[in-house]
Amino acid sequence: MGSVPERAEPLGGGRELEGWRGLAGWCRPVPGGGPDVCPVCKGPRRVGYTLCFSCSRVLTQVARPCHRVAPVSLYALGGTLHRALRTYKDGRSAGVREHYARVVVTLLAGFLATHARCLGGGGSGRLPWDLVTTVPSTSGAVPHPLEEAIRLVPWLSAQHTRLLVRTAVPLGHLWADEGGFRVGNKVDGQRILLLDDTWTSGARAQSAASSLARAGATVVALVPVGRVVDPAWSPRIASWWQARAGLAYEPGTCCLGLRAARPATHCGAGHRGAG
């Protein structure tokens, strides 16, 4: 298993964090809470409901879901980040794919280096995870393109271990099942940070999280690079997105360091639970 630095400070150099901040224009802030924000996936929910429609379905389909979800950014279909998350996997050439892979992993690595303690609940000292792993691809392709992107960042690559193997149990949009993944390594007692590139309904990610938890691991958080929002889905979703599309992205804040319906505060200023 990959080695873990003693403290969060060694994660990522100044150049890496500078690159992440340089991509802030590609991102939209993820809300920490509010009456119209799902406390799990941080996407839109109807006022008066406990969860968004997707989470209300998916969380009941697995035994041990992860409720600590921290997307790096929101994004809308057709936007710049959407294009990056598609092109790093299916770009027309290896050079184009590598270019966008660097974009994706810069966003991910910068976020993890800045918000490591926040992801674990605000503690100090050692990192809150022992290793990181990724949700396998829908197609079952090995390695997942996100794994290949992670190899571009030495400290993150050193922490990454492939733990999950796709099985024949079907998974799909709003269709979760921890049997869709088999844990290929002994993980009992391990603290695992679970990474993915895109969050739509969360079915694959929650299936993976539950599979790891049932094998004895603690999934400390689930971090997708992008949480998709489709403004064309309904006028309500369009309005929800428009209220956030023009907001500036602040790399120093994350959804787990915000209080519901309060202004953003830097994670370093004191952790507050989401929702």
Side-chain angles (χ1 to χ4, degrees), residues 86 105 121 147 182 190 211 228 240-241 262 267:
R86 287 185 59 90
V105 79
E147 284 188 42
R182 174 175 57 83
Q190 295 290 315
S211 182
V228 65
W240 191 93
W241 171 253
R262 296 287 183 89
C267 284

Side-chain angles (χ1 to χ4, degrees), residues 40-175:
V40 176
C41 72
K42 314 306 183 293
R45 67 165 168 171
R46 290 186 181 275
V47 175
Y49 285 72
T50 304
L51 300 169
C52 70
F53 176 73
S54 294
C55 286
S56 68
R57 292 283 300 273
V58 168
L59 296 188
T60 64
Q61 296 170 357
V62 294
R64 301 282 300 277
C66 176
H67 289 81
R68 196 171 188 79
V69 180
V72 176
S73 173
L74 298 178
Y75 75 92
L77 295 177
T80 305
L81 184 54
H82 179 218
R83 183 164 62 251
L85 289 167
R86 287 185 59 90
T87 309
Y88 99 103
K89 293 188 284 191
D90 58 13
R92 64 182 182 276
S93 69
V96 168
R97 292 192 296 274
E98 181 176 346
H99 170 77
Y100 282 101
R102 290 186 181 278
V103 168
V104 169
V105 79
T106 295
L107 290 170
L108 179 60
F111 181 83
L112 297 182
T114 302
H115 300 294
R117 292 195 179 99
C118 198
L119 291 170
S124 60
R126 289 183 60 87
L127 287 174
W129 60 80
D130 299 311
L131 61 135
V132 301
T133 197
T134 44
V135 179
S137 68
T138 302
S139 66
V142 178
H144 189 293
L146 187 58
E147 284 188 42
E148 297 184 305
I150 284 171
R151 291 172 186 166
L152 299 172
V153 179
W155 67 261
L156 186 54
S157 180
Q159 295 183 22
H160 181 271
T161 300
R162 186 184 302 154
L163 296 176
L164 295 159
V165 179
R166 187 74 172 87
T167 73
V169 175
L171 300 171
H173 182 69
L174 297 174
W175 189 354

Side-chain angles (χ1 to χ4, degrees), residues 68 70-72 108 111-112 119 193-197 221-225:
R68 196 171 188 79
V72 176
L108 179 60
F111 181 83
L112 297 182
L119 291 170
L193 182 68
L194 184 57
L195 308 177
D196 204 359
D197 51 12
L222 210 167
V223 179
V225 177

